[in-house]
Amino acid sequence: MAITIALAGNPNSGKTTLFNELTGSKQHVGNWPGVTVDKKEGKYKKDENVLILDLPGTYSLSPYSAEEIIARDYLLKEKPDAVINIIDGSNIERNLYLTLQIAETKIPMLVAVNMMDEVRANGDRIDFARLYEETGIRFLPIVARSYEGVDELMKEALKIAGEQKKVADLPVLDETIKEAADRLTQVLGLQDDESRLWKVLKVLEGDKEALGELSREQIVQAKNIIEETENKVGTDMEARLADLHYKYIGYLAASAVTKKREEHAETRSQRID
Ligand code: GDP
Ligand code: MG
Ligand code: K
């Protein structure tokens, strides 16, 4: 039986470079907009029972752009056996937002921290053991462009795909939002649903697609919970949830990343081959 591994990441994180290496494809890696909107799949060159899928590059799994909708629908409806979330190691904070979103889908995942050549050249340090300790998710260093770490990455990806070990809830929410999430879980009857956290957070955010799946009665009750919680926290729910996610990301980065020169975050976007 075939195993499917999806590659998900921000634009320019190196997904296509990794995809081409894994599938042996000689295809040119382009950077122009829209190049990865097509769903690309290929067989893992070292095991033809493994299918590799290159998802469109996205910064989140919101239902706003075509890329986000493709990536999100694929992860939630077709469900790969595992996700390799590839992130740019020289820009960890920005990339971790998508990581948290994928973690909330509960699909077995690991994180490939790419561009380690640049991280090293910048003199930055990443504490991989700490990232694992904090999240229970494996973070593995790679240099996709020169195949460094790629075999180890695939070995681990196939292991987690085989074990089907779900990602645990990360300590992102505060008590007030947790209480709202628990109440909403009851209202939606989601106690034993493995996508509970994802669904509840999306409804709390007012995500159109998630709301579209509720009955009218559930929408009324959800809106009540949202309104009461917004009154308690004094800000709208979408902003509060974004804040909590960024706060956790800030904490993770502060715990595990040591930057030698801060200015690199800015010059990095102008990187030229
Ligand atoms: P995608 O948008 O996620 O598909 O990213 P690409 O695979 O197109 O890569 C974006 C850019 O980063 C390209 O110029 C790649 O050559 C470059 N790149 C990919 N992997 C690495 C790496 O490990 N180190 C460095 N320095 N550059 C890389
Ligand atoms: Mg690409
Ligand atoms: K580059």
Side-chain angles (χ1 to χ4, degrees), residues 55-233:
L55 292 175
T58 61
Y59 296 103
S60 91
L61 298 175
S62 315
Y64 298 128
S65 68
E67 288 85 354
E68 286 170 333
I69 292 167
I70 292 170
R72 167 183 168 133
D73 283 352
Y74 181 78
L75 292 179
L76 290 163
K77 293 177 183 158
E78 292 180 53
K79 297 193 180 178
D81 295 289
V83 182
I84 295 176
N85 170 215
I86 178 166
I87 72 176
D88 177 347
S90 67
N91 225 327
I92 281 197
E93 278 201 64
R94 190 204 288 173
N95 283 246
L96 282 177
Y97 190 76
L98 178 65
T99 305
L100 292 188
Q101 298 250 299
I102 298 170
E104 281 162 3
T105 71
K106 303 288 163 187
I107 298 170
M109 71 181 291
L110 55 73
V111 180
V113 182
N114 192 29
M115 318 271 181
M116 285 304 294
D117 54 335
E118 293 199 7
V119 173
R120 292 188 292 245
N122 293 347
D124 298 342
R125 299 168 67 117
I126 299 172
D127 186 339
F128 288 86
R130 181 70 188 270
L131 287 168
Y132 178 63
E133 235 170 73
E134 293 285 347
T135 63
I137 299 168
R138 291 254 174 235
F139 285 69
L140 297 175
I142 69 166
V143 181
R145 199 146 72 172
S146 60
Y147 204 81
E148 187 186 317
V150 172
D151 285 336
E152 293 84 347
L153 176 73
M154 276 307 287
K155 197 174 151 203
E156 188 67 24
L158 290 170
K159 192 173 146 215
I160 65 159
E163 291 170 349
Q164 284 297 298
K165 184 173 160 256
K166 304 277 183 263
V167 180
D169 287 357
L170 299 174
V172 171
L173 306 180
D174 64 12
E175 286 310 316
T176 312
I177 304 292
K178 248 193 256 173
E179 193 196 310
D182 288 344
R183 283 174 65 197
L184 196 53
T185 300
Q186 300 288 330
V187 165
L188 304 184
L190 293 174
Q191 282 81 338
D192 301 322
D193 185 332
E194 68 183 29
S195 324
R196 175 197 90 91
L197 183 64
W198 168 268
K199 287 177 181 163
V200 162
L201 291 180
K202 291 298 133 184
V203 170
L204 288 176
E205 267 173 32
D207 182 294
K208 297 257 175 329
E209 214 176 275
L211 287 172
E213 284 170 21
L214 307 189
S215 71
R216 279 169 76 161
E217 177 59 23
Q218 286 175 327
I219 290 180
V220 170
Q221 296 194 53
K223 287 202 166 146
N224 275 335
I225 294 171
I226 291 169
E227 217 179 280
E228 277 176 37
T229 312
E230 285 180 339
N231 287 337
K232 259 189 228 165
V233 298

Side-chain angles (χ1 to χ4, degrees), residues 3-23:
I3 291 170
T4 305
I5 309 244
L7 306 181
N10 288 9
N12 281 318
S13 55
K15 272 187 305 82
T16 303
T17 304
L18 180 62
F19 175 83
N20 289 346
E21 280 174 348
L22 294 176
T23 60

